Amino acid sequence: MAENILEVDNVVKHYPVTQGVLFKKTIGQVKAVDGVSFALRAGETLGIVGESGCGKSTLSRVLMNLERPTSGLVRYRGRDISTLRGRGLKRMRRQIQLVMQDPYTSLNPRMTVGDLIGEPFEIHTEVAPKGSRRRKVQELLELVGLNPEHLNRYPHQFSGGQRQRIGIARALALKPEIVVCDEPVSALDVSIQAQVMNLLEKLQNELGLAYIFIAHDLSVVRHLSDRVGVMYLGKLVELGTDEEIYERPTHPYTQALLSAVPVPDPTVREHKQIIRLTGDVPSPANPPSGCRFRTRCWKAQDLCAEQEPLLTTRARTDHPSACHYAEIREIVATHEG
Ligand SMILES: Nc1ncnc2c1ncn2[C@@H]1O[C@H](COP(=O)(O)OP(=O)(O)O)[C@@H](O)[C@H]1O
Ligand SMILES: [Mg+2]
């Protein structure tokens, strides 16, 4: 099994909620990420899935060392990233890159594509000495399926899908080891999404990248992920291999998410039980006691309000799940009937 290159150890990120204009008073905390742990192995894809607002982007910013966690830590190759300085920090910044959700706002409109993709070389001059930059940028454009002659164009001259390719080329410029993809296809037309997903898969195979692939929908990450973590209100509620999550989910939330994934095959669709979640996601500033999912859960008992379920493997499960009553539920597969 490949080594762990990134370790996330009980990461918490709270944001203060303030009141007043002149004299800001902290009246609470938004618990955006509230105790998340997992490890990423070299070359693997870990999908992180959860509804909007559950803390995925906050987690990605902490992983990238763009924000300090309130508590807990992230280790890159064994070293706490918050303690890195100088060359160590520079190396980490080179090795972990981010592809953002919105290709329309994440690229500076006043910079040419050549300058956008070549910008990381300004800081990391060792990767591409000045004389070789133009060629490097052209190689990167080709790598992501864009015309290498277009390096003097501006972002607005490209379509959404092409802009996301530019964002990907920029993320790859420094030959990173890990790429965090924060909903990289959510803002794109459905017809374009598969092309960008295929590109990301191809690049992983060619370059041996490890991905943390964030999405709000389980169906998006299925094809690409080796393992999947499901998030709810700042916490990981289930973590397993592709097969464990999609075929034998144990947390009621995962089961509900999967039941909502459309099935193209009509005979399977008939057998499929849809679990409809009632109620809205509670506010992360005021999460329910005990299990955060209990207010929407059909299995909830008194225990769920009293005791927080830990993410662990239980008697009736074969992988970690944060539910007192976790139980494998076989998902109706195509061979049914
Ligand atoms: N800088 C911030 N200040 C205050 N609250 C924030 C900040 N960033 C995110 N949040 C809050 O944290 C929660 C999680 O947000 P986010 O990480 O963006 O979720 P996701 O990416 O899963 O949609 C949300 O309630 C959001 O409003
Ligand atoms: Mg987000």
Side-chain angles (χ1 to χ4, degrees), residues 95-122:
Q95 294 295 352
I96 311 180
Q97 294 289 326
L98 179 66
V99 173
M100 282 184 281
Q101 174 171 2
D102 191 348
Y104 296 91
T105 58
S106 57
L107 301 174
N108 184 340
R110 290 193 190 81
M111 285 171 76
T112 65
V113 166
D115 289 341
L116 279 164
I117 297 175
E119 194 179 36
F121 300 143
E122 303 281 330

Side-chain angles (χ1 to χ4, degrees), residues 57 101 182-183:
S57 294
Q101 174 171 2
D182 187 0
E183 303 204 36

Side-chain angles (χ1 to χ4, degrees), residues 26 46 84 95 108 124-125 136 149 197 244 291 293 321:
T26 301
L46 175 68
L84 295 174
Q95 294 295 352
N108 184 340
H124 300 265
T125 46
K136 287 261 181 209
E149 302 309 315
M197 292 297 286
E244 286 163 350
C291 172
F293 184 60
S321 180

